[in-house]
Amino acid sequence: MIPRLRPSIFLPTIMILWGLIAAGMALCQKMEDLFYLRAALGVAEAGYYPAVVYLLGTWYTKSELGLRLTVFALGSQFGSAMSGTISAILATSIKPGGYPAWRALFAAEGLVSVAVAIPGFWLLPDYPTNTKWLPEDEKKIAVDRLEAQGNQIKYNGYSWAIIKNILISPYFYLFLFVFPILNFMPSIISNFILALNNSGWDKTTASWMTVPVYLFASLTLPILGYSSDRFNDRFYHSLIGALFSMVMYCLLLINNANPPAWLLFTVVYLLAPTNSLYPIVMGWANETWRVDNQTRALAIALLNAFANIVPNFLSRYIWLAGDAPVWLWGKSVTIGGMAFLATVIFTMGMLQRYGLLMPVDRDGKTALQLEKEHNSAELAGGIEVSTEIKEKVADEKTALKVEEIAPAAAEPEKKETA
């Protein structure tokens, strides 16, 4: 649906919607009301991430997208840091009219979302072809530089062929394994508060301890995104990240999976930068389906939905609250997941390196073929322009020669007359 809508309207609208729902949760009187509103909140938020990834992929090239996606993901890490800060402050300092602190937390976070969303109606761009405040020549530049890499960004409508194009692609199923595991990777970070609570830390102090972890992740995300763009690489960044995470979780098995506090803190901080893998691999998926606009949009949406649904169910049976702070089962399963993730990433990297089974557009052409055709057309256009310039220069030289010859031819006539 997002290719048919204007992002400058769609994105702020759903952000306002989820902000109002979150603020409304502060008014709930029964647990059932919280469940209903939480489900509504999920529906409102569902389209945001894939829509932003799709929008960024419509503006930025392969050598630019990784950094932009990690900067976008930085907002999530920074938000997690601020959430821990706000939670700690509300729990210790603010007693809003005698109401529980969690009500104030929902109200504050929801209303801030609404306030941030409103300027988006004027500040956000749409697509290169229909952004109102972009001059026509700049629109053409934005489109041409993407088409030069085999990107197709024009809307051509949906059909069953698009769904078929996704379902017959082996890359869809490989990414389908990758993204849930990537979301599952930072489980020890998301359970860090619980680990500290079960190790004797009080809740307020444990909330404060998560803040520097997410701030550190916020600092490292753009660096890794820039590196991915600088070396035009998604494969090695993803593979090394998966193997590194596997080693870190192996360290957590020391001392019967109950490592000393210094090791737990070290591993948590070292794992924080791996949060960049999700946006980097999402950029990889965006580039894999760049050959068709609608296929890219649908593939991103399906992969993101699956990536968020599966880990939420698995966490209930793997990272059990009753196992804290040891989590022997959770750590062991995560190590196996990292090994499987590295295998799948390696498989995808090798397939793409040799151009095997790549997605195609509606005419059966791969992105590489479209890239070559576009560049050949541009080269031909350049030759035509050069020919025109040469003809113009030749005409000007001829005119100059005529001007030089004419006075010389006129001189003998003047002498004869004299």
Side-chain angles (χ1 to χ4, degrees):
M1 185 172 67
I2 185 64
R4 302 183 61 181
L5 302 175
R6 290 178 54 194
S8 61
I9 295 176
F10 176 73
L11 292 174
T13 299
I14 62 174
M15 192 171 175
I16 290 172
L17 183 60
W18 91 54
L20 293 175
I21 294 172
M25 294 174 77
L27 305 176
C28 290
Q29 301 299 322
K30 296 183 297 182
M31 184 66 70
E32 292 81 359
D33 297 336
L34 278 174
F35 290 154
Y36 293 140
L37 284 180
R38 184 63 188 89
L41 184 64
V43 172
E45 291 179 333
Y48 185 78
Y49 188 89
V52 173
V53 172
Y54 174 81
L55 178 62
L56 292 174
T58 310
W59 282 95
Y60 294 105
T61 64
K62 291 185 290 184
S63 61
E64 302 166 339
L65 187 58
L67 175 60
R68 273 70 183 182
L69 286 173
T70 50
V71 169
F72 170 58
L74 183 152
S76 174
Q77 302 302 311
F78 188 73
S80 297
M82 293 302 98
S83 179
T85 303
I86 294 171
S87 299
I89 292 174
L90 289 177
T92 56
S93 306
I94 301 176
K95 304 295 181 183
Y99 289 101
W102 65 267
R103 293 186 184 276
L105 181 62
F106 278 126
E109 293 187 347
L111 295 177
V112 167
S113 298
V114 173
V116 171
I118 292 174
F121 289 109
W122 295 273
L123 298 178
L124 286 176
D126 292 314
Y127 302 117
T129 54
N130 66 347
T131 298
K132 293 183 178 180
W133 43 262
L134 199 65
E136 290 299 322
D137 57 335
E138 293 186 15
K139 288 180 181 179
K140 187 177 185 307
I141 291 172
V143 172
D144 285 348
R145 71 196 204 102
L146 288 168
E147 288 183 345
Q149 294 189 342
N151 291 47
Q152 193 274 103
I153 63 173
K154 295 178 182 177
Y155 178 71
N156 294 318
Y158 279 100
S159 66
W160 285 108
I162 293 174
I163 300 176
K164 179 183 176 182
N165 199 18
I166 294 174
L167 295 181
I168 65 174
S169 171
Y171 291 99
F172 177 70
Y173 300 100
L174 291 171
F175 277 117
L176 211 59
F177 285 116
V178 168
F179 282 110
I181 300 175
L182 285 175
N183 256 352
F184 203 70
M185 182 186 294
S187 294
I188 189 62
I189 299 176
S190 56
N191 286 289
F192 191 41
I193 292 179
L194 188 57
L196 295 178
N197 286 340
N198 283 270
S199 299
W201 299 64
D202 62 87
K203 292 182 179 179
T204 302
T205 305
S207 294
W208 281 113
M209 288 297 100
T210 64
V211 175
V213 175
Y214 288 110
L215 289 178
F216 180 65
S218 300
L219 293 174
T220 56
L221 254 64
I223 296 174
L224 292 172
Y226 172 79
S227 172
S228 178
D229 285 345
R230 173 68 178 78
F231 296 101
N232 194 25
D233 169 74
R234 308 289 185 241
F235 169 56
Y236 287 110
H237 282 72
S238 305
L239 181 62
I240 293 172
L243 294 174
F244 177 79
S245 299
M246 183 175 67
V247 173
M248 291 298 101
Y249 274 99
C250 286
L251 292 176
L252 292 177
L253 295 179
I254 292 176
N255 194 29
N256 295 321
N258 191 16
W262 67 267
L263 182 57
L264 175 62
F265 273 81
T266 301
V267 169
V268 166
Y269 273 89
L270 290 176
L271 280 174
T274 61
N275 285 319
S276 65
L277 291 184
Y278 193 92
I280 287 175
V281 177
M282 186 59 77
W284 191 359
N286 189 90
E287 293 156 10
T288 299
W289 278 284
R290 69 187 186 274
V291 70
D292 184 79
N293 197 30
Q294 285 68 52
T295 304
R296 178 168 63 91
L298 185 58
I300 290 171
L302 291 173
L303 291 171
N304 185 71
F306 194 75
N308 285 281
I309 292 172
V310 173
N312 287 331
F313 282 102
L314 291 180
S315 294
R316 298 176 57 191
Y317 304 101
I318 298 175
W319 287 81
L320 303 174
D323 293 344
V326 177
W327 285 303
L328 177 60
W329 170 242
K331 293 171 184 175
S332 302
V333 172
T334 304
I335 290 170
M338 294 302 102
F340 181 68
L341 174 64
T343 304
V344 175
I345 289 174
F346 180 80
T347 302
M348 284 200 304
M350 291 300 100
L351 286 174
Q352 292 201 5
R353 171 165 293 185
Y354 296 102
L356 300 175
L357 305 173
M358 295 299 294
V360 296
D361 68 358
R362 303 179 193 196
D363 297 323
K365 297 178 181 179
T366 65
L368 184 59
Q369 290 173 320
L370 291 176
E371 182 178 342
K372 289 180 178 178
E373 288 180 4
H374 182 275
N375 293 338
S376 298
E378 285 222 333
L379 181 60
I383 292 172
E384 290 174 8
V385 171
S386 300
T387 304
E388 290 177 5
I389 292 173
K390 288 178 181 178
E391 290 175 353
K392 186 176 180 182
V393 170
D395 291 341
E396 289 177 352
K397 285 181 178 179
T398 303
L400 287 172
K401 286 181 179 179
V402 171
E403 290 176 2
E404 291 173 359
I405 294 171
E411 284 181 6
E413 294 180 3
K414 288 180 181 178
K415 288 180 181 179
E416 289 176 2
T417 306

